[in-house]
Amino acid sequence: APGIWTWYHFWYDHEKMRKTVVPCVEGCRKAGCAEIVFTMWGDHGGYCLPDAELAGMTFAAGVAWGESPDAAELYQATLRAIAGMDYGASLDFAKMTKHYWDEWPDMVLEENTLYDDPLFCMSYNNYRARTNGVAAVEDHLRILEGLRNRKDAPPALVALVNVLARKLCYQRDVLAAYEAKDFTTLRAIAKKRLPDLIRAFDKFDHLFREDWHRTSKPFGLEVIQIRNAGQRARLVEAAARINEFL
């Protein structure tokens, strides 16, 4: 049972899925398996955005049918006909799950950035402490910046990417400013950038709720809303603490 790799993600992980689905299908075909189940688990809240996995399902079904993993035009036509979505764009969105390391977590996870405490910055510091961690975080930020203004992306995904990019920039700059005693930058962060980040977070929270109720039963949303409310409160607290420090 290979997976579409939606767990721990807001958009499916195409890189990981391709590396696992292709050899699995080849092995099952050699073994004479009559059926393959492609799983889409909902670990840690099942928060993967609606329709995020459809490009992965199209790819997996095509490979299982005997098509080449590189038959992008076929997958584009299939996904467009079934769901009205663009296959190439879906793969672009999946770049936010780019892998950097061999051990878990092997990427800059969206969840870790979204819910990283804005005062402790533990996930951020852990990433930067890893081999080539600083370069990995900057590369991930570059990918997010490239997705922030995509007109062909689901609104909730664009809102999420905007929050993630703002959050990473905030963490990088607040830690540097605190260490350098750069009070001008700290004041700008507390007075302008954190309030902007909170507004961006509120927009994502609103759009995520809309998507959830459009596609899912209400049960389970409370878990995500509690997480989001906690993160918002900590962002407000971060601005208050910086102001008090100044």
Side-chain angles (χ1 to χ4, degrees):
I4 305 299
W5 291 89
T6 57
W7 47 97
Y8 286 105
H9 292 301
F10 287 90
W11 197 265
Y12 88 105
D13 181 352
H14 185 83
E15 180 182 349
K16 183 75 170 182
M17 186 207 66
R18 181 182 173 117
K19 289 180 179 179
T20 54
V21 162
V22 174
C24 178
V25 169
E26 291 174 349
C28 289
R29 186 170 288 120
K30 290 179 181 178
C33 295
E35 184 177 85
I36 304 175
V37 177
F38 297 102
T39 59
M40 291 172 287
W41 296 353
D43 290 25
H44 215 198
Y47 51 75
C48 193
L49 293 172
D51 303 336
E53 74 288 339
L54 293 182
M57 293 172 66
T58 301
F59 174 89
V63 172
W65 185 251
E67 302 293 346
S68 167
D70 299 313
E73 291 185 3
L74 172 64
Y75 300 141
Q76 165 69 11
T78 303
L79 185 61
R80 179 71 72 184
I82 293 175
M85 293 176 62
D86 187 275
Y87 181 74
S90 294
L91 266 57
D92 285 343
F93 307 150
K95 290 176 182 177
M96 64 190 297
T97 64
K98 180 178 178 180
H99 295 243
Y100 295 102
W101 302 285
D102 293 329
E103 68 280 356
W104 182 262
D106 52 358
M107 64 189 72
V108 183
L109 279 168
E110 313 100 278
E111 178 191 27
N112 285 4
T113 299
L114 185 65
Y115 297 122
D116 197 9
D117 189 273
L119 285 170
F120 297 146
C121 300
M122 293 179 65
S123 290
Y124 180 82
N125 282 324
N126 286 339
Y127 285 131
R128 288 175 60 89
R130 301 178 74 171
T131 303
N132 299 320
V134 174
V137 171
E138 290 301 317
D139 183 66
H140 182 68
L141 181 57
R142 176 189 60 78
I143 292 171
L144 295 176
E145 292 288 357
L147 297 175
R148 284 178 80 171
N149 298 312
R150 291 285 296 252
K151 303 300 183 183
D152 52 353
L157 180 66
V158 174
L160 170 68
V161 167
N162 185 35
V163 171
L164 297 178
R166 288 177 180 273
K167 182 81 173 287
L168 285 173
C169 289
Y170 154 77
Q171 291 178 306
R172 177 194 62 201
D173 295 344
V174 75
L175 292 173
Y178 179 77
E179 184 175 354
K181 294 182 172 57
D182 180 353
F183 299 120
T184 299
T185 297
L186 288 174
R187 186 171 293 106
I189 288 173
K191 300 293 186 183
K192 180 69 168 62
R193 291 176 58 181
L194 274 171
D196 286 347
L197 175 54
I198 292 168
R199 281 190 288 271
F201 193 93
D202 287 343
K203 182 176 181 179
F204 162 70
D205 184 58
H206 172 74
L207 290 172
F208 184 89
R209 178 185 180 275
E210 282 190 346
D211 272 351
W212 186 290
H213 285 304
R214 177 174 59 85
T215 59
S216 308
K217 294 181 179 180
F219 314 108
L221 178 60
E222 71 280 359
V223 175
I224 309 303
Q225 289 183 322
I226 289 169
R227 290 179 192 165
N228 288 351
Q231 177 63 203
R232 189 188 194 283
R234 291 300 291 170
L235 291 170
V236 172
E237 178 67 12
R241 290 291 299 278
I242 294 172
N243 278 319
E244 291 165 359
F245 173 72
L246 294 173

